[in-house]
Amino acid sequence: MNFRRIFMKRKTIEKFIFYALNLFLGGCIGILVGRFFPINATFIQKFSFYLILFCFFYFVLYFHIFIHELGHLVFGLISGYKFSSIRFLSFIFFLENGKLKLKKLKLAGTGGQCLMIPPKLDGTSPVCLYNWGGCLANLIFSIIFLVVACFSKSFPTLKVFFEIFSICGFIVAVTNGIPFKTLSNDGYNAITLKKRFEARKAFEKSLYISKEIAGGKRIKDVDVDFCEYDEKFYDDNMVVMAAMQTLNYYVDKCEFEKAYEFCKKLYEKAFLIDIHKLVVISELINSILLTDKDKSEIDQIFTKENKSLLKKYKALPPVHRALYVYELLYNNNEENALKHKKDFEKIAKKYPYKQELVGEIEIMQLARTKFEEKNNSDLK
């Protein structure tokens, strides 16, 4: 479809810009290192230096990820938001029944995330400072490190390290601040939320639902009005994010017919970033199989690209739940299904939102019952 070609073209362009900026980062650091590193160094000295530099470079990136998420938190609090959860790499801190808890949650393609509780739910919550907060924090620290580097001329090694801190902070701020629609980054979110009332309403609702889930509720028990939203806003990542929660609501209530129809609409008409596309694919496969629809639809969905997407997010329980149902009800392969069940159980042990797992297990049990009924019927 035309909108898909537009989306893929934009995704390619934005990825090119993103990687070009990171290449620029590498080039700048290379120039700094080349200027500092002695030409007559031995092989052992060179190897040791580059090993230390490699480790230091990753330390600096992780440092700026930490600063970035803290920036969202601090500027969010200034804007009137309240803390809900914050994730650094795979470590997530969240409030559950008023208590701060630490769990592990790995989400491919993201270094962290800070979710907060909006001050209002009527589309009037301030959005700019909270969304730009991470970039502002990186820029502030980048300037501080640059100033410190300027006063470190007598210590060449320290000077280079502070310059690397500064350049990395600047690049993290820029790559998150330049509006990339297909990446749904901070810059895009801040601009689209400022412009569109519908997006702000969806944003506030999404944050509120996330808070309720982090607090221990299943999504079907959250007291909000779940709606499918006007299709003319399906080009907006914030609206689509809220639509994902509506889809999860249908699934948690085992309303698979509704889930199927909504999935079809989203798959055909919405701009889906990778994580949203993953949800739609997973629930589309499940709803087709659990409502006895034409299995040929699955063949159209299970493209090479979509299989890669499922593999990319294999650390998430819903992926293995979807593949468990797929192996049982599509391939009639109990052995492969059990492998995915074991993977699911392994991930579930460390998954922070235990109440979500209850719904996932219920769906797996439904699929198992359906599988056994079919096999018993075939035997008769």
Side-chain angles (χ1 to χ4, degrees):
M1 290 182 70
N2 187 45
F3 87 90
R4 282 191 194 283
R5 289 198 296 270
I6 294 170
F7 182 80
M8 293 308 296
K9 185 176 180 180
R10 181 164 183 167
K11 187 175 183 179
T12 302
I13 293 170
E14 291 183 349
K15 273 192 173 182
F16 174 79
I17 296 171
F18 179 83
Y19 288 127
L21 286 168
N22 281 280
L23 189 63
F24 172 75
L25 163 65
C28 289
I29 292 173
I31 291 169
L32 288 173
V33 172
R35 188 185 65 189
F36 166 77
F37 197 69
I39 299 173
N40 59 348
T42 65
F43 172 78
I44 296 297
Q45 287 174 325
K46 288 180 180 178
F47 178 80
S48 300
F49 178 80
Y50 284 117
L51 181 62
I52 292 169
L53 184 67
F54 179 81
C55 295
F56 177 71
F57 178 69
Y58 272 92
F59 168 77
V60 173
L61 283 179
Y62 292 148
F63 170 83
H64 277 292
I65 288 171
F66 179 77
I67 292 299
H68 185 88
E69 300 309 327
L70 278 184
H72 284 302
L73 176 62
V74 171
F75 287 106
L77 290 171
I78 291 170
S79 300
Y81 289 74
K82 293 181 181 179
F83 175 80
S84 178
S85 70
I86 190 166
R87 178 170 58 85
F88 305 107
L89 303 176
S90 59
F91 297 96
I92 181 168
F93 297 85
F94 63 99
L95 286 176
E96 185 178 41
N97 298 322
K99 295 181 179 179
L100 187 65
K101 293 197 173 183
L102 171 62
K103 296 284 184 178
K104 293 192 75 175
L105 176 64
K106 188 177 179 181
L107 192 59
T110 63
Q113 188 178 38
C114 178
L115 297 178
M116 304 190 76
I117 306 164
K120 297 180 181 179
L121 293 174
D122 58 1
T124 61
S125 296
V127 292
C128 288
L129 202 55
Y130 169 39
N131 280 279
W132 288 110
C135 300
L136 286 172
N138 291 128
L139 278 177
I140 290 167
F141 273 85
S142 182
I143 292 168
I144 290 171
F145 285 124
L146 183 61
V147 170
V148 173
C150 291
F151 286 95
S152 305
K153 292 180 181 179
S154 302
F155 306 95
T157 304
L158 278 177
K159 185 176 184 294
V160 169
F161 283 170
F162 284 129
E163 286 173 337
I164 291 172
F165 264 109
S166 181
I167 292 169
C168 286
F170 177 75
I171 292 296
V172 170
V174 170
T175 52
N176 280 278
I178 293 177
F180 289 145
K181 181 184 178 72
T182 59
L183 299 178
S184 190
N185 66 348
D186 297 332
Y188 173 80
N189 292 341
I191 290 172
T192 191
L193 287 170
K194 185 68 176 176
K195 288 180 178 178
R196 303 178 83 168
F197 175 76
E198 294 79 7
R200 288 197 301 278
K201 285 275 289 181
F203 175 69
E204 290 171 348
K205 186 186 287 188
S206 295
L207 288 176
Y208 175 77
I209 293 169
S210 296
K211 183 266 294 188
E212 292 288 278
I213 291 171
K217 282 188 179 181
R218 288 178 63 169
I219 194 166
K220 70 176 183 178
D221 297 323
V222 177
D223 185 21
V224 296
D225 176 29
F226 287 92
C227 60
E228 298 187 3
Y229 300 93
D230 195 315
E231 291 177 18
K232 67 182 179 182
F233 300 120
Y234 279 5
D235 65 330
D236 193 299
N237 291 334
M238 289 295 114
V239 174
V240 173
M241 179 173 69
M244 291 301 111
Q245 292 175 325
T246 299
L247 175 57
N248 289 334
Y249 171 76
Y250 290 152
V251 172
D252 199 27
K253 292 190 73 177
C254 294
E255 295 179 353
F256 299 116
E257 283 289 350
K258 282 187 178 180
Y260 170 77
E261 295 298 333
F262 194 31
C263 278
K264 289 280 285 183
K265 191 192 300 183
L266 290 168
Y267 192 69
E268 293 169 1
K269 298 181 179 180
F271 284 88
L272 300 171
I273 61 172
D274 282 355
I275 187 64
H276 296 159
K277 190 176 181 183
L278 170 81
V279 175
V280 171
I281 290 166
S282 299
E283 303 311 343
L284 195 50
I285 290 169
N286 276 230
S287 58
I288 289 169
L289 294 171
L290 290 167
T291 55
D292 296 317
K293 294 207 167 16
D294 187 352
K295 289 185 179 181
S296 63
E297 287 190 68
I298 304 263
D299 299 325
Q300 297 171 20
I301 300 163
F302 243 112
T303 62
K304 185 178 179 181
E305 180 188 350
N306 290 345
K307 285 179 181 177
S308 298
L309 197 60
L310 289 168
K311 188 176 181 180
K312 178 181 176 182
Y313 290 98
K314 63 183 180 181
L316 296 177
V319 171
H320 293 285
R321 179 260 294 169
L323 292 173
Y324 174 84
V325 176
Y326 171 76
E327 291 295 347
L328 273 186
L329 302 183
Y330 182 85
N331 288 334
N332 201 38
N333 192 322
E334 188 175 10
E335 185 179 346
N336 283 350
L338 289 174
K339 288 178 183 177
H340 286 295
K341 187 181 179 184
K342 286 180 181 178
D343 289 334
F344 174 90
E345 290 168 348
K346 183 179 179 181
I347 295 166
K349 289 178 182 177
K350 297 180 180 180
Y351 194 67
Y353 307 125
K354 298 300 181 185
Q355 72 285 353
E356 286 187 6
L357 299 174
V358 177
E360 303 289 350
I361 292 167
E362 285 176 0
I363 294 172
M364 292 168 75
Q365 289 171 342
L366 282 172
R368 181 72 192 182
T369 302
K370 199 172 186 66
F371 171 77
E372 290 174 351
E373 286 174 353
K374 180 181 179 298
N375 283 354
N376 290 335
S377 176
D378 291 343
L379 289 172
K380 288 180 180 180

